[in-house]
Structure formats: C-alpha cells, structure tokens
Amino acid sequence: MSMLGFEIGLLTLFFVTGLAYYNVRVYLAVNDWALQTVQINIAIDSIAESIYGAESAQRGFLLTGHSSLLTTFDAEKKRTSENLARLNHLLQISQPHSLDEPFQALQSAVDSRIGKLDRTVSAYLTQGKRAAFLAMSTGMGEKLMKDVNARIENLRSLQRESQFIRTQATNKAAHQTLLVIIGGYVLSFLFLLLARWRMRSDMRQLKEKGVELMHARNEAEAANRSKSQFLANLSHEIRTPLNAVIGMSAVLEAGQLSSEHREAVTLIQRSSRALLNLIQDVLDLARIDVGQIKLDLRAFRIEESLADVHAMLAPQVPVGVKLTWSADGHLPERLIGDPNRIGQILLNLAGNAVKFTESGDIQISATIVARNADLLTVRFSVRDTGPGILLQDQAKLFQPFTQLGPGTGKPGTGLGLSICKRLVDAMGGTIGVSSEPGRGSIFWFELRLSDASRSTQGASLHQPRAALPKLRGRVLIVDDNQINQIVASRLLDLMGIDSEVANDGEAALERLSRGGYNAVLMDCELPILDGCSATQEWRRIERERGLPTLPIIAMTAHVQEDERKRTFESGMDACLTKPLDVDLLATTLSRWLKPASIETHSNMHGLPLLISEQADHA
C-alpha cells in the first residue's frame, strides 16, 4: 500500500507538472498574440501612412511638376504594396483565414485608390496639367480614400474582437488549469503523506519481522548445534563397541586360524569398515547440507571395490537371487579416485537392489564409456530384476527422506539415494536411473577417473597389511570402559608391549608419579578427572620436577575437529580415533618406542601429530 500511494503521488506530481508546463505555454501564447496584435496594428498604420504619402507626392508633382516628387510617389506605392503583403503574413500567422475577407476588401480599396492616383499622374503626363486637375475635381479620390479608411477600421475592429475572444478563452483555460494544478499538488501531497505513513508502518513491521527472523535463525542455529551434538554423541556411542569388534578381529587375525575362520574374520573386518563408513555418512549429513564434502583421492583397484561390495552383500541375498559383479577388461589395473565414496555409493545402490529383488539376478558392473589420454569416464551400474519404478516416481528418488512404496514393509531412512547424488556431484559425476515397471531397474553413475599408472598418486595404493612391528616399552592405558581396556591391551600384546590400566584421570596421575612408563594412551572422557585435564596437570608436574616429556596419545570416539584441537591444546602429542586401527596405533607408538631388538634408554619426542582414519567434522 505504501508503494502504491508513493507511486500515485509521484504520478500526480508528474501530471500537475505537465499541466503547469501547459499553463506556461498558454501564457507564452497570449504574449505572442499580443505582440502579433501590435505588429498588425503597426502594419495597418503603415498602409495608411504610405497611401497618404503617395497622395501628397502626387499632388506636389501636379502642382510643381518636379520629377523628384514623381519618384517619391512611386516609392510610396511600392511601400504600400509591401505593407499589404506584411499585413497578410501577420494575419495568417495570428488568425489563419479568419480575416481573409476583410483583408481582401481592404486590398481592393487600396488598389482602387492607388489606381486612381496613377491615372491622374498619367493624365498629367500625357494631356497636361488641366486634364489632371479635371480628373481630380470629380471627387472620386476622396470617396476612394474614405473607403480605404473604412476598410482599415473594420479590419482593426475585427482583429481586436478576435483577439479579445481568444484572450478570454485563454484566461479561462489558464484559470481552470491553475485550479487543477493546485488540486493536484494538494492531492499528491496527501498521497505522499499516506505513503510516508504506510512506509513507516511497513518499516515497523519489517523491523518486527527482522526480529522474528533473528529469533528463528538463532533457534535454527541452536537446533543445528543440537543436531551436530547429537550426531557426535551417536557416533561416540557406536564407535565404542565398534572398537572392540575391529580391535579383537585384528587380534584374531594375528593368530593361527583355519581358512574358514580367517574368511569369517575378514568378513567381520569388511562389515566393520562398512559400518564405520555408515557412521561417517551420518556425520557427513551436516557437511553435505552445506556442500562441504572431503574426498580421499588415491590409487585403488576397481575389482577390489566391486569384490568388497559383493562380499558384504552376499550373505543378505535371498534365495533365488544371483548376485554377480564384473569389470571391463580394458580398465587400467589402478585408477585414482575415492574408493571409500565409490564403495559407499555402490553398497547403497546394490543394497537397495538386494532389498527389493525377490527373484532373478543382480549385477554390479564397471565399464569404460569414454577415454581421453589418461582420463577415463567410468560408468558404475547396478542392474536388478526387481519390480521396477514408475516414471513419475523416478524424479523423486534422489530427494532426501523419500521412500517409494511405503506399503512394501522395506526398512530405510530415505537418505541413501540422496547421499549418493550429493557424493557423485561432489566428485564431478552424474547419477541416474532407467526403469520400467515389471522389468527391473538400472541405477548408474559416471565418474571421470585418472589412470594411476600414469600419475604420481599411484604410489598411495593400499597394500596388504604388513606384519606388526615388535616394540619394547611399557604403556599406561587410561580408559574407564573395560572393553576398551581389553582391546587396547590385546593390541599392545601383539606388538610385544607391556601395559597397565587406570580407570580415571586421578588414578592415571598417581601411576605416572611412580614412573616407569614410556607412553600413555589417554581416553578423553573419564570420570573424576577427564583426559585433557589430567594431561594438563601432568605437564605441570613435568615442568615443576624437570621431568622429560612423556608421550601422551589421545584415544577418542569423537571426530569433530574442535575435539581434536582441544586434545593438542591440553598437551597431548597425537590423536587416534576409535575404533583403533592397529596399523595406525603401531605407527604412532613407533615414534617413541624402540624396536624390540634395541634397548630403550629414553623417550623420543616429536611434534604433535594428528593421526586418524579420516579427518571428520560434524
């Protein structure tokens, strides 16, 4: 409403300004008409003067016979003709055609009078003075002159009357225009006042709306923080039991196992890694929402990724369904990409196929669709013989929290395909589906991958696990969870390291005060005194007593960057995430503990190092 009033006020002002301009033009026209009237009167007077001048010169010539007077007579005649032409021009400008008839009558009377004067002079020149005076004595000249004067006065009267009428009409129009201008200004002023009032009201409403939006933003930020904290807590609670699963499977793998048991342990490890990746997916949701997804580009074998997905899904395949995988024989042995993300997408797509296919077959494949030097476009596809998907439903598949066929009883969050699309987009690829009801579906995605054999990144290819190093030393494990204590102890046993356990930060400080430890594995969340506070206290004791710096390695199920930063700020030297990776644990301890074949005399001290399976932020 405020903008409408403002616009109406402006339009009114423009209209009034136009009327004012018109009024000025009218007054200028009146001035022009007045000037033209003066010029017309001057022209009329000039005609009368030139006629009288011609008569005087004619009479003087007749009386004296001087030729100079005859010349003057001819000049006055010429001036009379010029004045007539000028008068006609002025009349056509001022009042076109309205005074044509009076002007024609005046011109005819003037021509008659001038003609009479010409004839008298001719009589004088041809017949003598007597004949000229006889011509003048008839009284015709005076009669013609009176007619000229009458025509002049008539023309003047008509011109004044016309000018008066036009001036009256103009003044009336100008008066009306002035009234409209005044009314327009008043109206525009009222509209502008209304617009100002409405604008102030709108500004007040906008201010109130801004306050509401600020409150809503604060609530949304608080909800987002709560979500992030919830996801972090959920990750922490799931990673703790996973620590036992992955850690103890590593202990089992190091023992003497039959081929059947070793295959079972391998399957446990693969499934644990898949579960760990799924946990990571939950934490990725926050980053996916803002488009911040980190990729781990390294060399990998597509065959291994396909085989891993097949191995993890094979136990879930229902009877009557055949699950197979195949790779294009022209694919290079190694490609550069993010195998975890590719495996995550394939696991999601193939998992959906297993979930909805009751008979037939499911095929996971990777083929080359284009190649440009060492850059390949690879299509990964999952084909099934399931029920298929309606065309109108296919557009909804990659939207968050969308599930088709809720009556099928198939579990799911509706996030899987949405996450797949975000991941494919992050890797610069495309994803799609081709399906017909009753004929199955083909879910596919295409990525551009580099040939690792022609890239310096090829050296990062994951190699089979090497034998764990044997180390000498004594490590204090500080953790309030008994399962975590057992897992850490067993992993240290595999490396030949002696270990002791403390249940909280105060107990850890008491044991450290006795000495005899080469390193500490410190959990961050501890009763009585948490891990960071215990570390800060021990660093203070070291400074006061002049003790060498003892390596303290954080063990945390939190993966947020601020949590990791807090561990280093407290004085810890490294950070490992749970579930513990035995290789990363061995690599980290190797910085401070000597190999078993070398006698250990003192600790080795290095710069703080962040070691984890993935650098994650919730």
Side-chain angles (χ1 to χ4, degrees), residues 309-318 323:
V309 173
H310 180 273
M312 284 185 282
L313 291 178
Q316 306 174 27
V317 176
L323 176 65

Side-chain angles (χ1 to χ4, degrees), residues 71-83:
T71 302
T72 302
F73 173 71
D74 292 334
E76 292 295 334
K77 286 197 301 179
K78 183 178 180 182
R79 192 161 71 91
T80 300
S81 298
E82 292 176 349
N83 288 333

Side-chain angles (χ1 to χ4, degrees), residues 135-284:
M136 291 175 60
S137 63
T138 59
M140 181 60 67
E142 294 180 1
K143 184 178 179 181
L144 291 176
M145 194 60 198
K146 289 181 180 179
D147 186 43
V148 168
N149 290 331
R151 299 297 182 186
I152 288 176
E153 290 300 323
N154 180 56
L155 182 61
R156 281 178 173 169
S157 175
L158 290 176
Q159 197 275 336
R160 283 195 298 269
E161 182 180 351
S162 175
Q163 181 67 24
F164 176 77
I165 293 173
R166 291 175 65 180
T167 302
Q168 286 292 101
T170 301
N171 289 337
K172 183 178 180 181
H175 181 70
Q176 293 175 348
T177 303
L178 184 62
L179 292 178
V180 173
I181 289 174
I182 295 173
Y185 276 119
V186 172
L187 184 63
S188 62
F189 179 73
L190 292 177
F191 272 117
L192 290 177
L193 281 181
L194 176 62
R196 182 174 179 270
W197 176 79
R198 287 298 304 173
M199 287 181 69
R200 294 183 64 180
S201 176
D202 291 345
M203 289 296 293
R204 185 170 58 253
Q205 293 178 4
L206 286 174
K207 187 176 180 180
E208 294 173 355
K209 183 64 70 175
V211 173
E212 293 177 3
L213 290 175
M214 185 178 296
H215 290 325
R217 184 192 67 182
N218 293 337
E219 292 175 0
E221 290 177 350
N224 191 52
R225 287 192 297 269
S226 299
K227 180 192 72 172
S228 298
Q229 188 60 43
F230 168 75
L231 293 177
N233 293 338
L234 179 65
S235 171
H236 180 273
E237 295 303 319
I238 296 177
R239 283 173 180 269
T240 299
L242 258 184
N243 186 41
V245 175
I246 294 178
M248 298 310 291
S249 65
V251 173
L252 287 174
E253 186 182 31
Q256 299 295 327
L257 299 175
S258 65
S259 59
E260 183 179 351
H261 290 164
R262 188 168 297 281
E263 183 179 354
V265 170
T266 301
L267 185 58
I268 291 173
Q269 292 176 333
R270 286 178 172 175
S271 298
S272 299
R273 287 197 299 270
L275 181 56
L276 193 60
N277 288 335
L278 290 177
I279 296 171
Q280 193 58 46
D281 291 343
V282 175
L283 297 177
D284 277 345

Side-chain angles (χ1 to χ4, degrees), residues 597-614:
S597 59
I598 301 176
E599 201 67 33
T600 303
H601 299 288
S602 62
N603 293 329
M604 296 176 60
H605 310 302
L607 295 174
L609 175 64
L610 174 62
I611 302 177
S612 61
E613 293 179 78
Q614 295 182 34

